[in-house]
C-alpha cells in the first residue's frame, strides 16, 4: 500500500489526486458541476452532483495511475466548508439542494439575532460572527422553510452535515455520520473552546442535536469505503476543511505562520497556537487542525470573491475566453488609469462583514476597457488580502512570526497577481513548488495516520520554495493605491464597520 487518494471537493468542481509514498502527484482527475442561483444572493448545489463527481474522479484518477485499489493505503478528504446539506437518515434522500457557503439568504436571520444581542455570546463560544456564511443559520432556514422538515428533524429522521460529512456518509454506504473538528468549527454550532456541540446555540437556532455528526480529529478512523467505489474497501483516515487542509499542506505548524489560498474565494489563516485569540478586527477565531484531541487555533479572514472575479470576466462580461488571458490584459492596461473593482457580488466578508452590499466599479472613464477591467479584477484580490493582512498583524501584536505570506491556489500561478500582492503588503510572498497544497494537506493527514508519511516536523522540513516575490512598489505609491481602495469600499458598504 504505497499510495494515498485525496478527494478535493470544491465549490465549482470535484478533484481526486493520487499521491505516492514520496507525496508526489501520480495522477489526477477533475470534473465541474452546475451552480444554481435561484435568487439574487442565493447559491445552491445538487447533492447528487457533489457525490457523482467525487465518485467519478476517484475512479478516473486510479485508472489513470494504472494501480489497483489494494495499493491505496488511505483516503483523505478536503472540502468546501460551511456548505449545508440535510438528508434522510434512512433513505439518504436530500431534503433540499445544498446551500453553498456563498449564499446570503439568511442575512435577515443574522441581523435579527444581532439586534437581540446574541452575537457576543456566539463569538465567545465559536470564534465566529453572526453571518450567513456559516452553516447554522442555513440549517435553521431549511428547517423553518421546508414543509414538514422540522417535524422530521425532531423525530430523528434527518441528518445534517457539511460536505465532508455528506461524502463520508455516501462513501461508507450510510454507516458513518462523522465530521472533523475543522469543519465542525465552521458551523456556528460547535464550541471550539470546549470541543463539543454547543447546546445553548443549538437551542437559540432551534436545531435538534440528533441531526449533528460525531466530531473526530483531522487524522482519525472515519470508516471505510463501500467496495463498489474502487473494488475494495479503503479506509478514510484524514479530513479537513479546504483552508485548514491548505494550512497543513503549507506546513504552517508554528504560531505566527500565515498562508493565503486563492480559489473561488480567498482565505488567509494565521496560526495562533494552543490558545484562541480574540480578534479586535472582526476576524474569525477557528481551529487550524486538531491532533490527539488537542486543537491548534487560528485567526482567519475570508474573502468571498477572488478567482470568481475572473470567472465573472469570462462568463458575465465575456471579455476573456479563459483565465490565462487576464495577466496579459492586466499588463497592457493604462498605468495612469486607476479603476477600482469591489467584487461584493454576494456581500463582503472580513473584516467588513456586510451581507447586503453588492459589487461596484469606481474610476470609470471613456478609456476604460477590457485591459483595465482585468487589471482591476486582479488588483481587487491584492487589496482585499491587505485588508486581512493588516487586521491579522494587529490582532497578533507581540505574537511573533515572520512577516511572510505563503500562497497557494489557482491564482497564485499568476506572477503578475503575486507581485502586486507583495507590493500591496510591503512584505514577501512565498509560492511553494507544490501548489496543490489543499489536496496535499488532506493526503498527508491520511498517510500520516496510515503510517505511510512522516510526522509534522519532518513533513514541514520538506516544504520547498518555488519563488519569493519581494515588494517593488514605493511606499507612497502603495499607500495611495490602497487609500483609493478603502475609499471605494467605503462607498460600497451599506453600513460602516
Amino acid at each position: 500500500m504505497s499510495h494515498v487518494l485525496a478527494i478535493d471537493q470544491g465549490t465549482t468542481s470535484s478533484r481526486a489526486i493520487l499521491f505516492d509514498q514520496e507525496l508526489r502527484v501520480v495522477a489526477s482527475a477533475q470534473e465541474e458541476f452546475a451552480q444554481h442561483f435561484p435568487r439574487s444572493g442565493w447559491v445552491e448545489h445538487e447533492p447528487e452532483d457533489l457525490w457523482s463527481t467525487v465518485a467519478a474522479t476517484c475512479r478516473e484518477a486510479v485508472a489513470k495511475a494504472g494501480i489497483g485499489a489494494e495499493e491505496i493505503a488511505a483516503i483523505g478528504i478536503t472540502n468546501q466548508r460551511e456548505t449545508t446539506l440535510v438528508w434522510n437518515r434512512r433513505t439518504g434522500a436530500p431534503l433540499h439542494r445544498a446551500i453553498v457557503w456563498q449564499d446570503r439568504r439568511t442575512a435577515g436571520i443574522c441581523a435579527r439575532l444581532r439586534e437581540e444581542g446574541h452575537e457576543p455570546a456566539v463569538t465567545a463560544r465559536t470564534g465566529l460572527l453572526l453571518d450567513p456564511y456559516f452553516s447554522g443559520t442555513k440549517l435553521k432556514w431549511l428547517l423553518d422553510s421546508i414543509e414538514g422538515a422540522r417535524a422530521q428533524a425532531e423525530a430523528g429522521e434527518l441528518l445534517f452535515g457539511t460536505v465532508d460529512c455528506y461524502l463520508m456518509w455516501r462513501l461508507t454506504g450510510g454507516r458513518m455520520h462523522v465530521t472533523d473538528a475543522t469543519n465542525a468549527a465552521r458551523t456556528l454550532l460547535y464550541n471550539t473552546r470546549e470541543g463539543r456541540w454547543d447546546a445553548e446555540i443549538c437551542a437559540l437556532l432551534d436545531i435538534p442535536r440528533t441531526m449533528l455528526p460525531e466530531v473526530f480529529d483531522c487524522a482519525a478512523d472515519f470508516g471505510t469505503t463501500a467496495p463498489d467505489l474502487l473494488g475494495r474497501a479503503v479506509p478514510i483516515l484524514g479530513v479537513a476543511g479546504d483552508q485548514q487542509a491548505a494550512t497543513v499542506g503549507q506546513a504552517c505548524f508554528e504560531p505566527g505562520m500565515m498562508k493565503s489560498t486563492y480559489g473561488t474565494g480567498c482565505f488567509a489563516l494565521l496560526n495562533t497556537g494552543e490558545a484562541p485569540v480574540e480578534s479586535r478586527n472582526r476576524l474569525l477565531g477557528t481551529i487550524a487542525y486538531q491532533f490527539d484531541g488537542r486543537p491548534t487555533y487560528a485567526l482567519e479572514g475570508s474573502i468571498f470573491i477572488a478567482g470568481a472575479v475572473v470567472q465573472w470576466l469570462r462568463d458575465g462580461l465575456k471579455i476573456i475566453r479563459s483565465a490565462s488571458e487576464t495577466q496579459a490584459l492586466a499588463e497592457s492596461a493604462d498605468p495612469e488609469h486607476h479603476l477600482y473593482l469591489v467584487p461584493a457580488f454576494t456581500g463582503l466578508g472580513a473584516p467588513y462583514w456586510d451581507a447586503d452590499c453588492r459589487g461596484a466599479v469606481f474610476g470609470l472613464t471613456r478609456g476604460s476597457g477590457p485591459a483595465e477591467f482585468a487589471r482591476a479584477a486582479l488588483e481587487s484580490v491584492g487589496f482585499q488580502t491587505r485588508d486581512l493582512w493588516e487586521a491579522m498583524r494587529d490582532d497578533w501584536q507581540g505574537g511573533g512570526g515572520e512577516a511572510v505570506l505563503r500562497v497557494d491556489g489557482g491564482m497564485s500561478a499568476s506572477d503578475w497577481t503575486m507581485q502586486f500582492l507583495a507590493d500591496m503588503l510591503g512584505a514577501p510572498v512565498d509560492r511553494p513548488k507544490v501548489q496543490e497544497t489543499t489536496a496535499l494537506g488532506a493526503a498527508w493527514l491520511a498517510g500520516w495516520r496510515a503510517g505511510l508519511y512522516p510526522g509534522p516536523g519532518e513533513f514541514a522540513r520538506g516544504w520547498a520554495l518555488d519563488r519569493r516575490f519581494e515588494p517593488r512598489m514605493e511606499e507612497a505609491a502603495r499607500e495611495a493605491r490602497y487609500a483609493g481602495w478603502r475609499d471605494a469600499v467605503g462607498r460600497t458598504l451599506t453600513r460602516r464597520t
Side-chain angles (χ1 to χ4, degrees):
M1 294 185 183
S2 55
H3 295 75
V4 172
L5 180 62
I7 295 170
D8 183 356
Q9 202 300 300
T11 307
T12 59
S13 70
S14 297
R15 298 191 306 157
I17 302 177
L18 201 63
F19 292 84
D20 67 11
Q21 59 190 4
E22 302 299 326
L23 273 169
R24 295 174 300 209
V25 174
V26 174
S28 65
Q30 182 170 357
E31 188 173 332
E32 292 188 357
F33 52 85
Q35 310 291 302
H36 300 276
F37 307 99
R39 297 187 192 177
S40 175
W42 290 27
V43 190
E44 297 177 350
H45 293 155
E46 288 288 356
E48 193 60 29
D49 288 347
L50 304 181
W51 166 244
S52 64
T53 54
V54 163
T57 53
C58 285
R59 292 176 180 129
E60 183 181 348
V62 173
K64 282 183 177 179
I67 66 169
E70 68 278 0
E71 296 180 60
I72 302 174
I75 289 174
I77 298 174
T78 184
N79 56 283
Q80 54 168 311
R81 304 170 305 168
E82 297 93 19
T83 295
T84 300
L85 298 102
V86 175
W87 64 97
N88 186 281
R89 181 190 298 269
R90 182 178 57 84
T91 67
L95 178 73
H96 187 273
R97 282 179 179 161
I99 300 181
V100 179
W101 58 272
Q102 297 163 312
D103 190 283
R104 312 303 285 170
R105 76 186 64 188
T106 64
I109 296 173
C110 294
R112 177 177 58 78
L113 292 169
R114 279 195 302 270
E115 290 166 2
E116 292 173 355
H118 295 295
E119 187 166 70
V122 170
T123 300
R125 294 167 183 268
T126 68
L128 309 180
L129 302 171
L130 284 170
D131 188 85
Y133 180 25
F134 305 108
S135 310
T137 57
K138 293 178 170 68
L139 177 53
K140 176 177 174 56
W141 184 92
L142 286 167
L143 296 182
D144 289 343
S145 303
I146 307 301
E147 185 177 355
R150 185 163 295 286
Q152 292 179 64
E154 291 173 351
E157 297 172 8
L158 298 179
L159 299 177
F160 153 76
T162 44
V163 171
D164 63 302
C165 178
Y166 178 71
L167 291 179
M168 284 188 283
W169 194 86
R170 295 293 298 263
L171 285 164
T172 62
R175 295 190 304 275
M176 300 295 286
H177 184 220
V178 293
T179 190
D180 85 295
T182 69
N183 278 294
R186 312 297 299 185
T187 63
L188 204 72
L189 305 173
Y190 189 72
N191 190 315
T192 56
R193 275 63 171 171
E194 299 178 8
R196 60 174 177 82
W197 297 113
D198 194 283
E200 290 80 1
I201 297 177
C202 287
L204 175 67
L205 297 180
D206 203 10
I207 305 298
R209 281 185 284 167
T210 55
M211 301 182 72
L212 307 180
E214 188 176 358
V215 181
F216 291 176
D217 287 344
C218 297
D221 182 1
F222 293 92
T224 57
T225 65
D228 60 356
L229 178 70
L230 297 172
R232 169 188 167 269
V234 178
I236 304 165
L237 299 181
V239 177
D242 52 10
Q243 303 314 315
Q244 283 85 353
T247 302
V248 169
Q250 286 276 35
C252 291
F253 294 130
E254 296 298 324
M257 295 184 75
M258 182 176 172
K259 74 88 199 174
S260 189
T261 298
Y262 298 92
T264 301
C266 164
F267 303 87
L269 267 77
L270 174 72
N271 185 324
T272 62
E274 297 180 355
V277 172
E278 186 174 343
S279 175
R280 297 181 296 271
N281 296 289
R282 293 178 64 78
L283 297 175
L284 306 177
T286 194
I287 294 175
Y289 48 84
Q290 182 169 301
F291 304 150
D292 299 321
R294 295 190 298 273
T296 293
Y297 294 93
L299 285 170
E300 177 175 334
S302 307
I303 296 169
F304 298 148
I305 301 295
V309 75
V310 176
Q311 293 175 328
W312 174 70
L313 295 179
R314 182 192 67 190
D315 303 333
L317 296 187
K318 301 186 186 301
I319 61 175
I320 59 171
R321 288 170 300 202
S322 68
S324 60
E325 297 175 25
T326 54
Q327 178 163 316
L329 272 176
E331 290 170 346
S332 69
D334 181 353
E336 300 303 318
H337 191 134
H338 296 315
L339 197 67
Y340 289 94
L341 168 60
V342 183
F345 303 147
T346 57
L348 286 173
Y352 306 105
W353 296 108
D354 189 334
D356 298 317
C357 70
R358 290 295 178 261
V361 181
F362 298 92
L364 284 169
T365 72
R366 284 288 300 272
S368 303
E372 287 70 34
F373 269 85
R375 187 180 68 182
L378 297 182
E379 287 181 344
S380 73
V381 176
F383 289 134
Q384 290 179 99
T385 305
R386 175 159 174 185
D387 289 340
L388 302 183
W389 173 269
E390 293 204 342
M392 285 184 170
R393 303 315 294 190
D394 181 62
D395 282 340
W396 189 242
Q397 285 179 355
E402 185 182 7
V404 175
L405 180 65
R406 289 186 173 183
V407 296
D408 54 80
M411 293 189 81
S412 69
S414 168
D415 290 352
W416 191 95
T417 307
M418 294 301 100
Q419 183 58 55
F420 183 77
L421 176 58
D423 288 339
M424 270 303 103
L425 299 183
V429 170
D430 284 357
R431 184 173 64 197
K433 286 186 176 179
V434 179
Q435 293 184 46
E436 294 284 3
T437 54
T438 304
L440 178 66
W444 175 76
L445 288 168
W448 177 39
R449 176 75 176 183
L452 187 64
Y453 298 147
E458 189 175 343
F459 174 69
R461 286 190 290 273
W463 186 93
L465 179 69
D466 168 56
R467 178 174 172 182
R468 168 168 283 192
F469 296 87
E470 297 280 3
R472 298 174 184 169
M473 189 179 289
E474 293 184 1
E475 183 175 0
R478 173 169 53 248
E479 296 309 313
R481 295 299 313 281
Y482 186 58
W485 164 258
R486 293 299 299 263
D487 178 67
V489 171
R491 295 169 184 270
T492 306
L493 296 173
T494 60
R495 51 187 169 84
R496 293 287 179 176
T497 54

